[in-house]
Amino acid sequence: MSSVVVLLTLSAGLAACSGTDDPGDEAAALARALETGETSSARGLGEPENLEALLGDLAGLPRTVEVAGLGERREVTESRASAVDVELSWAWDLDADGEPDWSYTTTAQLAEDADGAWAASLSPDMIAPELPPQGSLVLERVRGERGDVLAGDGSAIVTDRPVLRVGLDKTRLEGAPEADLRASAEAVASLAGYDDTAAFADRAVAAGPRAFVEAIVVREGSSDVDLDALAEVTGGVALPGELPLAPTATFARALLGRVGEATQEIVEASEGRVVAGDTVGLSGLQEQYDVTLAGRPGLRVSSQVGAELTTLYERPAADGADLHLTLDTQLQTTAEIALAGTTSPAGLVVLRPSTGEILAAASGPGSEGQNTAMLATLAPGSTYKIVTALALLRAGVGPDDLVSCTPDATVEGYTVGNYPGYPAAHLGEITMSDAIAQSCNSALINARDALTPQAMADAAAALGLGRDLAGPWPGFLGSVPADATGTAFAASLIGQGDVLASPLAMATVAASVKAGAAVSPTLVLGPGDVADDPAAVAAPASPLTVEEAEVLRGYMRGVVTGGTATLLGDVPGEPVHAKSGSAEAGGDDARVDSWMTAYRGDLAVAVMVQGGGHGSGVAGGIVRDFLTAVP
């Protein structure tokens, strides 16, 4: 780059426009021109392109330039012309986050012509200390190491793992006709699974002549791309690299999310934190906690002369912090195996009742990447009868009290029956324990006059439903209407109507029964500034008592020993306590979702399978398989 020096222009005409015997005005105009880039506001600076050439990569960045001091007038030539030194204070916002990063002072010289007009000549040392002649400023962004995602025992879940970046290397097609370039690009896109191969070809044509145009990133050893076929494509390459990945492509995928190159939308929304080319979290926890995991990029400003760079300023990169979760890798893997055979959306959540820690959150292959385990908003069906049983207990209906289990119940002209195949031997006046064990809908609806919507909402909160989360991670702990009336209120007693829950929410109910108090699920253990704070979650208005919890445990045990979840009776280990459920989703497909929530020892689990049907077989079978497979 040639030296950029704009010499002082002495002109009577210009002097007539701006002549003054006070150099302070021209010093202020100089600072303003350097700050805004509008060089026409100060004499002697020339065209804006001259300033931009010196500023280089920094030309478009926010900066402030102020007059920090004005020296004494002095004579500098035999003609007794006067000059004044101006101290300029610079402050650069290099990452456009609103805060200054690089601050320094430089000195400029104002010279006075014979008509009393003052002007300064643009020179490198006015712009930055040690910026040499023929130099310009270069800004580099230095990325730190992204933090890992850790399991509860501190082992790495997500860490840098080898990948292959599949794409088109245009250097191998240098000089080739555009038709050949497009043919290669479309062949690469086809192997990468693109539906619109022409769009990838358009991108390849538009890229620079020596560009690598990435099509897809796959794990090393993956069969997602036929590498032998790729090698036959002129320009087709698979470059080795690393990317933060979980142990397998499916491991807690919907919860953890994925990492990749920042989209334009992310760059624009980041207010300067993210720039094009950065690796960021694109979904799930990787996106939610991206600031923590990414750390802070470093910044380096250098002067460049030819190919030589000399560092003028450097802010070291701060590596990202590890995100420490409560997940148990063995339990998560087992949960995913238990769901592997499901073809419709399904979720399984495991909690530790004694601590509230989420040990596993698996969404089945039928969920197609959606976080069914944590975010489903569906009617929980008869698993919700644990809540109704608590509300009735508080209303004076205990386990040995009789309730009326009729073939059906009618409310305001709307009839609700029991589930298909309900055992006739358990109709009539039966104990409350039997009603829960057999999951009699009509018995609870017939007892509705003893309850209020607020009493139901309070009972739900006492079991952890409908409360706030302990952290900002994605999760749904259910919603319970406190103002339902008529048929809507009757439906809510059996987990239908406007009552909504997720597997996370119903696992919380089972965990709360076991713990004897409302459990607040936790997922993030650290670092400290983002760790969950269950103590900050408001306590239930009517907390669960020791005596109430003991009654609910008895109900849930009866479901296993002689009720709708006897398939769990042979699960090894401590006794299993459970509640089955099926929920009619309604609509044109008349779908019936299968639910089961249970606890054994210090493990609480809930499963939901959309369209699994009535009875405990589908969700219950998954719970049985899971609990049988873990200690």
Side-chain angles (χ1 to χ4, degrees):
M1 182 182 296
S2 60
S3 176
V4 181
V5 179
V6 182
L7 299 177
L8 176 63
T9 302
L10 303 178
S11 161
L14 289 175
C17 294
S18 58
T20 175
D21 60 2
D22 182 4
D25 291 341
E26 193 61 36
L30 171 65
R32 185 166 56 253
L34 294 174
E35 178 176 302
T36 64
E38 298 294 331
T39 57
S40 60
S41 64
R43 285 170 47 86
L45 293 186
E47 296 300 319
E49 291 80 3
N50 298 324
L51 177 60
E52 291 174 6
L54 287 171
L55 294 177
D57 293 345
L58 277 62
L61 294 182
R63 58 187 180 269
T64 59
V65 185
E66 298 176 343
V67 176
L70 199 63
E72 297 293 329
R73 186 188 303 233
R74 68 182 190 280
E75 294 180 358
V76 295
T77 67
E78 293 180 359
S79 63
R80 304 178 70 81
S82 297
V84 170
D85 289 333
V86 181
E87 185 178 14
L88 298 171
S89 173
W90 293 74
W92 288 93
D93 182 4
L94 298 175
D95 52 8
D97 66 351
E99 298 294 331
D101 301 297
W102 183 30
S103 301
Y104 57 84
T105 60
T106 61
T107 300
Q109 187 182 89
L110 293 176
E112 183 184 30
D113 66 15
D115 296 314
W118 295 87
S121 298
L122 185 65
S123 62
D125 57 1
M126 178 194 299
I127 302 302
E130 303 179 32
L131 180 62
Q134 302 181 341
S136 64
L137 297 177
V138 174
L139 175 65
E140 297 172 273
R141 189 179 177 90
V142 183
R143 297 187 182 96
E145 294 291 326
R146 188 173 181 87
D148 291 341
V149 177
L150 308 180
D153 62 3
S155 61
I157 297 176
V158 179
T159 190
D160 283 343
R161 302 182 194 274
V163 297
L164 295 175
R165 299 183 180 276
V166 175
L168 186 72
D169 181 358
K170 291 186 68 173
T171 64
R172 303 188 183 191
L173 287 152
E174 199 163 2
E178 182 176 315
D180 291 350
L181 174 61
R182 284 188 172 277
S184 287
E186 292 197 17
V188 169
S190 178
L191 290 169
Y194 279 56
D195 293 327
D196 188 354
T197 58
F200 179 77
D202 290 341
R203 181 153 60 92
V205 170
R210 301 186 63 79
F212 167 69
V213 187
E214 185 173 285
I216 191 174
V217 179
V218 298
R219 290 171 179 264
E220 189 177 76
S222 166
S223 60
D224 291 344
V225 175
D226 186 339
L227 298 181
D228 291 335
L230 181 68
E232 297 297 320
V233 178
T234 304
V237 295
L239 304 179
E242 287 188 332
L243 201 64
L245 296 172
T248 68
T250 59
F251 188 96
R253 178 178 60 182
L255 174 62
L256 297 176
R258 62 190 183 94
V259 174
E261 187 170 322
T263 63
Q264 182 179 350
E265 292 78 8
I266 291 174
V267 171
E268 292 174 351
S270 72
E271 299 182 347
R273 185 181 71 86
V274 178
V275 300
D278 278 0
T279 296
V280 299
L282 299 175
S283 60
L285 298 180
Q286 289 284 358
E287 180 183 19
Q288 185 84 41
Y289 293 91
D290 187 64
V291 171
T292 297
L293 289 161
R296 188 180 71 165
L299 299 168
R300 183 185 300 123
V301 180
S302 305
S303 64
Q304 181 174 26
V305 179
E308 183 178 351
L309 293 174
T310 302
T311 300
L312 303 181
Y313 165 79
E314 187 167 18
R315 184 186 79 187
D319 291 342
D322 294 338
L323 185 67
H324 192 179
L325 304 182
T326 58
L327 295 182
D328 181 299
T329 53
Q330 179 183 353
L331 293 181
Q332 179 69 34
T333 300
T334 305
E336 291 177 3
I337 292 172
L339 291 179
T342 59
T343 57
S344 59
L348 189 161
V349 171
V350 184
L351 295 182
R352 179 176 285 131
S354 61
T355 63
E357 293 172 334
I358 299 172
L359 303 178
S363 297
S367 294
E368 298 181 343
Q370 298 300 308
N371 193 353
T372 305
M374 305 282 279
L375 291 173
T377 54
L378 299 169
S382 293
T383 57
Y384 187 74
K385 288 174 182 174
I386 302 170
V387 174
T388 308
L390 174 59
L392 284 171
L393 181 63
R394 290 175 170 182
V397 181
D400 296 326
D401 291 320
L402 297 179
V403 291
S404 180
C405 182
T406 52
D408 52 47
T410 300
V411 180
E412 296 181 353
Y414 180 74
T415 300
V416 178
N418 295 315
Y419 61 83
Y422 183 87
H426 295 278
L427 289 172
E429 297 298 305
I430 62 176
T431 65
M432 183 63 186
S433 291
D434 200 17
I436 297 299
Q438 304 304 324
S439 203
C440 179
N441 290 338
S442 61
L444 302 189
I445 292 174
N446 289 334
R448 66 188 179 279
D449 289 344
L451 302 173
T452 66
Q454 187 60 56
M456 289 296 297
D458 288 345
L463 294 170
L465 274 183
R467 303 174 74 211
D468 292 335
L469 296 170
W473 36 268
F476 177 63
L477 279 180
S479 61
V480 177
D483 56 359
T485 59
T487 57
F489 179 59
S492 73
L493 302 183
I494 58 173
Q496 297 275 181
D498 294 328
V499 174
L500 298 173
S502 65
L504 169 66
M506 296 318 297
T508 300
V509 170
S512 298
V513 172
K514 167 62 176 175
V519 167
S520 184
T522 58
L523 178 64
V524 178
L525 297 173
D529 60 336
V530 298
D532 290 349
D533 185 8
V537 178
S542 301
L544 187 68
T545 68
V546 173
E547 294 78 14
E548 290 169 344
E550 189 60 33
V551 171
L552 295 182
R553 292 177 196 135
Y555 285 148
M556 293 180 70
R557 183 57 183 159
V559 173
V560 176
T561 57
T564 58
T566 54
L567 81 169
L568 301 179
D570 293 333
V571 170
E574 296 183 51
V576 178
H577 298 66
K579 183 67 190 80
S580 63
S582 53
E584 296 180 359
D588 295 337
D589 60 358
R591 190 187 78 228
V592 177
D593 299 335
S594 178
W595 287 81
M596 180 72 79
T597 188
Y599 73 83
R600 184 196 64 188
D602 204 18
L603 288 181
V605 59
V607 170
M608 186 284 304
V609 180
Q610 283 192 22
H614 289 286
S616 61
V618 176
I622 293 172
V623 170
R624 179 194 58 209
D625 293 347
F626 174 80
L627 290 177
T628 300
V630 300

